[in-house]
Amino acid sequence: MSITVKAAGAGVTYVDQRAPISSLLKANLRKIFPDHWSFMLGEIALYSFLILLLTGVYLTIWFKPSMTDVIYNGSFAPLDGIPMSEAYASALNISFDVRGGLLIRQIHHWAALFFMAAMMVHMFRIFFTGAFRKPRELNWVIGGSMILIGILEGFAGYSLPDDLLSGVGVRIVAGIVEGIPVIGTYLMFFIFGGQFPGSDFIPRLYTFHVLLVPGILLAMIGIHLVLVFYHKHTQYPGAGRTNTNVVGFPLFPVYTAKAGGFFFVVFGVTTLIAAFVTINPIWAYGPYVPDQVTAGSQPDWYIGFLDGALRAFPNWESVIWGHTISWNVFLPSAVMPGLLVTVLIIYPFIEAWVTGDKREHHLLDRPRNAPTRTAIGVMAISFYGVLVINGANDIIAQAFNVSFNQLTWFTRIGVFVIPPLMFIATRRFCLGLQRRDRDLLLHGRESGQILRLPHGEFIEIHTPISDEQKAVILSKIDVPVMALPVATDANGVATPKLRAKRRRARWSRAYFGDNVARPTAQELEEAAHHAHEAHAHEVHAHGAGELADAGKDH
Amino acid sequence: MSSDHGKTLSTAEHGDEPAFPLPAHRHRLTDTSPRAARRAERQVAGMFVLSALLIVAFIAAYVAIPTSTFVNLGVIGIVQLSNLILGATFGLSILLIGIGAIQWAKKLMSDEEVTDERHPLGSPQEDRDEALAAFQMGVTESGFVERKIVRRTLIGALALFPVPLIVLLKDMGPLPGDSLRNTIWRKGSRIVIDVTGQPVKPQDMGVGTLISASPEDLNTIQEEQGNQNERAKASIILVRMAPDEIRSQQSPKGATWDYQGILAFSKICTHVGCPIALYQKATHHLLCPCHQSTFDLADSGNVVFGPANRRMPQLPITVDSEGYLVAQGDFQEPVGPSFWERG
């Protein structure tokens, strides 16, 4: 036993006698995790969160969350002598008078952008591979909620410096809250401690941003990871991989080094970007004054879809019995995101209902093998994408010299037309890939070699695909389409809950009706036999070629 | 093997053999050649050493470079030198730790894939039965079911317990009252230029001019912090157009709200409240930079495009005895975004 192991053993013994750590270590030190680049997306999100916690603590040392008026006398000359809030002055102080302060601020901001991006792309991976299926529905719900909370947290952090750009963002949020029917005005007055902008908002937002929300996120991340551990990680299909095993490398030492190293890679890359690329130059915007604004105001990217929706929505407003309902604000900025997130969060339960599937799934789906799900995902992303683009319609209009009025109309129509088109195209694309898979299994791969048979016919030689490829393709599950229930059975008894069953059968057909069936064992057998014959042809032809070559030599 | 082809991998029973075996492990160069292994070892150690050196460089830069030095990096723009060097040394240093650790894992640690069995999730049936039995026992011993009066009063008490927690939030802010309907504009309030605080005479404004302005008394207002709340409502823009270009105004019959073609409008967008100052002289259109609502100032400030529903409120103006522009009174309708009670 080496000294390292002895020392570790002594440490473990000490802890073990006070908390039973050995059982935990025994079960988990050599726990197997499968390897795939797409499994690192969630890691990026996790590590970005850790970076945010770390750099956030540094920022709290110097940041003053106060809206008290002060005159700036720091070292950024262009703003010298300008009245501003203490929050903005201290953010300037962090940027220009604290050594490394700007670096920490920029790492914090970049990490926030990466955190949101990584969570979303991670979610796409989970969605398209069906990793949300039983037993991981709860983790999907937690993850989806974390994205929503992350958007709020990001917006709060973006607003704290109280610069002109973020102040306009807060003004818009105040307007959105005012637009909520019945309670909006009161809610706005409660949040801001009176009229906008008041002097309570920044201190309140600060506690929300540095204590309440990070606490909630930390708890959710904890549960998220414990569940990943408990479920054991999903894996992609392949040779040697089944739904009941997990193939990969042990947590200690391989993943300790890889995942631990990856934390430093994420931290290092974020820091390097923060070193070279300025993000959110608050000094260039100036302090927030409620009657000023900059042209080309843009929120951080993850707010873009909300802003895009707000820009595109028609100007509907009604007055009913002396009360104003701002459809133009309430629908795009509260109802639309609410619906989007609700559908997203309950999706696993919708799909489970359609399939009637109660089994555990640990082997990931290939997106093509679930064409309707994949098409729904692409549809949702294109809906989101159109809104994000519209969130920058003024920038695009300027950059490409097009009319923003036309861009807005493009969005108003496109947001309803493009997603269904993407749905249809994606679904067909997936079904095409399924047919190709079936062809590959039954007829092998086109080898590019043309063969002339003795009687003059030309054929192309197909070579059977490898076992690894076969294992991947054969991982497809054929979900049976539910038959439409009959109104009354042979004995004349009416089917109970007929309408619900019919609805479910129709959904089932829409989901799986067009799927290309996996080849049966018999078909595969025949195909293998066929391939063998073709191989015989090939050998035959090869022999003939040699003869011809021999003839030339003479 | 062909007999296994038809097996559905993902419905395999626990402990079933996969239809296709794991491909045979292929050794890396570092597994077979001690020289390659030593080279990998040197690479990893080299990265760790470089990382440590960069920390020393970081500390030197921290001490030596003031925050007031800036450098121009061309495409990237002007950056703070201290930020650049501190970030570059620290970032590269931690990146090297990461790459070194991953290189170690990839080249020198075992890369033979290991297979673990999964076990059905969930507790064994007997555990579930026992848990249920224990719960049943607790329910029986507590009398939660039989003692209806205790149960119901408890539920009642618990339902009311959060009420104080909600009531306590009441003092987060005052009630709106009519504060959203009024601004500090009064009859005779002088209109002053936002930036300079100078009052405006009609002859100061040529046709096509736009001025951001506010009431003169704004500067005497002292709220808890400055005068931001009143400023957020009272800001206006003054525009001048040739009187025959004005197609309509918000003034009722018989009243004159402009002064010789000078019109005053609220600066706060009726959509969600951004201040507006993008003015197109030729069309008299006012464009909100936030969500592109467009208002025609020559036509009562009506909406011509975008998500805003209501026109920009017009402030009736005239001149006082000294010839300065003043308000005739407050706005005749609430400024800014719509709200439920607005009507």
Side-chain angles (χ1 to χ4, degrees), chain B residues 32-254:
Chain B
T32 51
S33 150
R35 270 188 61 193
R38 275 198 301 279
R39 190 166 57 236
E41 210 176 343
R42 278 197 303 274
Q43 282 169 354
V44 173
M47 285 188 234
F48 291 159
V49 169
L50 194 53
S51 168
L53 291 177
L54 281 165
I55 294 295
V56 176
F58 173 91
I59 291 166
Y62 184 84
V63 175
I65 304 173
T67 51
S68 53
T69 317
F70 291 82
V71 285
N72 194 338
L73 286 188
V75 193
I76 292 173
I78 298 172
V79 296
Q80 196 186 42
L81 185 64
S82 146
N83 180 69
L84 184 73
I85 304 297
L86 293 180
T89 49
F90 183 48
L92 202 56
S93 164
I94 41 188
L95 183 61
L96 282 167
I97 296 178
I99 297 175
I102 291 169
Q103 176 80 344
W104 183 359
K106 292 194 106 153
K107 296 280 178 189
L108 297 168
M109 292 180 191
S110 164
D111 78 328
E112 200 152 357
E113 284 189 312
V114 185
T115 303
D116 238 10
E117 284 306 306
R118 291 180 192 271
H119 304 289
L121 295 170
S123 322
Q125 187 58 46
E126 57 196 271
D127 283 12
R128 269 179 276 176
D129 292 344
E130 275 176 38
L132 202 63
F135 181 70
Q136 176 63 54
M137 190 174 287
V139 170
T140 313
E141 284 176 2
S142 68
F144 191 77
V145 178
E146 291 80 33
R147 300 182 201 283
K148 277 184 197 150
I149 187 148
V150 178
R151 186 175 78 232
R152 286 177 187 168
T153 48
L154 173 68
I155 292 170
L158 284 179
L160 289 181
F161 143 75
V163 171
L165 300 180
I166 295 165
V167 169
L168 283 174
L169 296 176
K170 166 64 189 65
D171 278 350
M172 278 179 77
L175 297 183
D178 61 355
S179 60
L180 289 175
R181 298 178 185 276
N182 304 321
T183 74
I184 56 166
W185 287 106
R186 297 284 166 272
K187 188 173 174 2
S189 298
R190 266 203 187 148
I191 299 171
V192 297
I193 301 174
D194 232 355
V195 191
T196 59
Q198 296 294 316
V200 190
K201 282 189 170 171
Q203 53 267 38
D204 299 339
M205 294 185 68
V207 170
T209 320
L210 175 135
I211 292 175
S212 274
S214 49
E216 189 173 33
D217 6 342
L218 186 61
N219 297 325
T220 63
I221 298 267
Q222 186 52 51
E223 294 161 3
E224 200 183 332
Q225 287 302 329
N227 52 21
Q228 303 275 54
N229 295 356
E230 288 306 334
R231 182 182 292 280
K233 292 187 298 183
S235 287
I236 58 162
I237 47 166
L238 284 175
V239 286
R240 183 162 205 171
M241 35 190 114
D244 60 332
E245 289 176 318
I246 302 171
R247 300 203 298 284
S248 72
Q249 288 191 54
Q250 295 176 15
S251 45
K253 256 206 178 87

Side-chain angles (χ1 to χ4, degrees), chain A residues 253-337:
Chain A
V254 176
Y255 269 99
T256 315
K258 275 191 174 179
F262 192 52
F263 166 73
F264 287 95
V265 168
V266 173
F267 197 178
V269 169
T270 310
T271 306
L272 284 174
I273 292 173
F276 287 95
V277 190
T278 303
I279 184 86
N280 198 24
I282 49 158
W283 56 87
Y285 308 138
Y288 178 63
V289 185
D291 57 2
Q292 285 178 20
V293 69
T294 50
S297 292
Q298 286 290 306
D300 272 349
W301 74 266
Y302 47 83
I303 306 284
F305 81 108
L306 280 175
D307 209 41
L310 203 54
R311 288 172 188 216
F313 209 83
N315 67 338
W316 302 338
E317 187 176 298
S318 13
V319 178
I320 298 169
W321 296 310
H323 290 291
T324 307
I325 305 173
S326 313
W327 305 111
N328 55 344
V329 177
F330 180 58
L331 290 182
S333 61
V335 175
M336 183 279 290

